[in-house]
Amino acid sequence: AGGVAGVCVDLILFPLDTVKTRLQSPQGFRKAGGFRGIYAGVPSTAIGSFPNAAAFFITYENVKSVLPHGSSSYLSPATHMVAASLGEVVACLIRVPSEVVKQRAQVSPSSSTLQILSHTLYHEGIQGLYRGYKSTVLREIPFSLVQFPLWESLKDLWSWKQGHVVDSWQSAVCGAFAGGFAAAVTTPLDVAKTRIMLAKAGSSNARGNVLAALGGIWRTQGLSGLFAGVVPRMAAISLGGFIFLGTYEKTRQLLL
């Protein structure tokens, strides 16, 4: 169910993700490709989406099942936070290599995904594919700490209001709101992660220091630089939350 949801959301919203990446890139939107080659890097996403989302939900649901939870428990939000955080740590082992190749292809639309992959492996090795792992985890954990407890709480509230468990479309609406809110507050971390992944080998950002990357962006571009791409990111993740969590719930209902 998680894998199906991941593929659906990533492929449908790929153009918005490309625009966001190019807005955040150091060379600027126009030099990074503008609106040309909007599907550059899509093979990397197509391959990585299913196992990445599946790994997240396998971890999320299993951790949730062993920790105390339930709509009446005050421990519920903490349970959802821990489960989502561990889910992200595991999923990022698959997501980061896919994301590195995808983002480099997005800002170099003239190069194919395979060329980007072979170039990265040749010049940086496997370590190059995991550049930005720490910054991605540091972005995803705060994101999940906001999104998943909010999603679960909104579902519980809606279920209580109407007297029965929410339908998949209602879960999707809750997911859209939770995703958009989480996307807005974690945008600076997303910008830092993009700069680290796109940095030239040997540069200061290539070392993967998130605080240094944030400091550099703040000094050169100020607040607008830290929130570069916030509108397409919020739009993509609100839509993504609707599709991703709605598809997950619907597929899960069909399978179970």
Side-chain angles (χ1 to χ4, degrees):
V4 169
V7 171
C8 287
V9 72
D10 284 344
L11 295 184
I12 291 169
L13 299 179
F14 193 86
L16 267 176
D17 184 70
T18 301
V19 169
K20 181 216 69 165
T21 299
R22 290 175 181 177
L23 283 166
Q24 293 177 349
S25 68
Q27 68 260 51
F29 179 71
R30 198 179 294 274
K31 286 185 180 176
F35 290 104
R36 292 181 293 105
I38 211 80
Y39 278 95
V42 77
S44 175
T45 295
I47 293 165
S49 284
F50 191 98
N52 157 42
F56 172 82
F57 275 111
I58 287 168
T59 309
Y60 179 71
E61 295 292 354
N62 274 292
V63 172
K64 233 169 68 168
S65 69
V66 298
L67 293 174
H69 66 287
S71 57
S72 59
S73 172
Y74 65 92
L75 288 173
S76 264
T79 297
H80 297 140
M81 285 178 177
V82 172
S85 298
L86 290 174
E88 292 296 356
V89 170
V90 173
C92 281
L93 292 171
I94 300 164
R95 181 183 305 152
V96 170
S98 169
E99 184 96 343
V100 167
V101 174
K102 179 203 76 175
Q103 290 204 320
R104 291 179 182 185
Q106 285 174 328
V107 297
S108 306
S110 56
S111 301
S112 71
T113 298
L114 195 58
Q115 285 173 325
I116 299 279
L117 175 62
S118 58
H119 182 272
T120 303
L121 286 171
Y122 181 76
H123 289 280
E124 300 176 66
I126 294 291
Q127 189 180 336
L129 289 177
Y130 278 93
R131 188 196 300 164
Y133 177 81
K134 188 167 62 175
S135 60
T136 304
V137 169
L138 285 173
R139 177 199 67 177
E140 293 298 343
I141 287 179
F143 180 85
S144 293
L145 289 177
V146 176
Q147 184 189 33
F148 279 86
L150 186 55
W151 176 54
E152 300 275 11
S153 298
L154 289 170
K155 286 197 301 175
D156 288 343
L157 180 63
W158 204 336
S159 299
W160 174 73
K161 283 274 189 187
Q162 65 186 7
H164 64 81
V165 176
V166 290
D167 298 323
S168 54
W169 72 267
Q170 292 170 323
S171 176
V173 171
C174 295
F177 182 83
F181 183 75
V185 298
T186 58
T187 295
L189 291 170
D190 186 56
V191 177
K193 185 236 20 153
T194 298
R195 295 293 176 90
I196 288 166
M197 284 186 172
L198 297 179
K200 290 179 180 175
S203 65
S204 58
N205 275 344
R207 288 197 285 270
N209 188 317
V210 178
L211 287 177
L214 287 170
I217 296 162
W218 172 256
R219 283 191 300 275
T220 56
Q221 295 173 278
L223 197 62
S224 62
L226 289 174
F227 282 89
V230 66
V231 173
R233 176 169 160 80
M234 280 185 70
I237 292 178
S238 291
L239 274 170
F242 184 88
I243 298 164
F244 184 59
L245 297 172
T247 304
Y248 172 69
E249 291 279 9
K250 188 65 179 175
T251 310
R252 197 162 162 237
Q253 286 168 14
L254 292 171
L255 292 172
L256 300 175

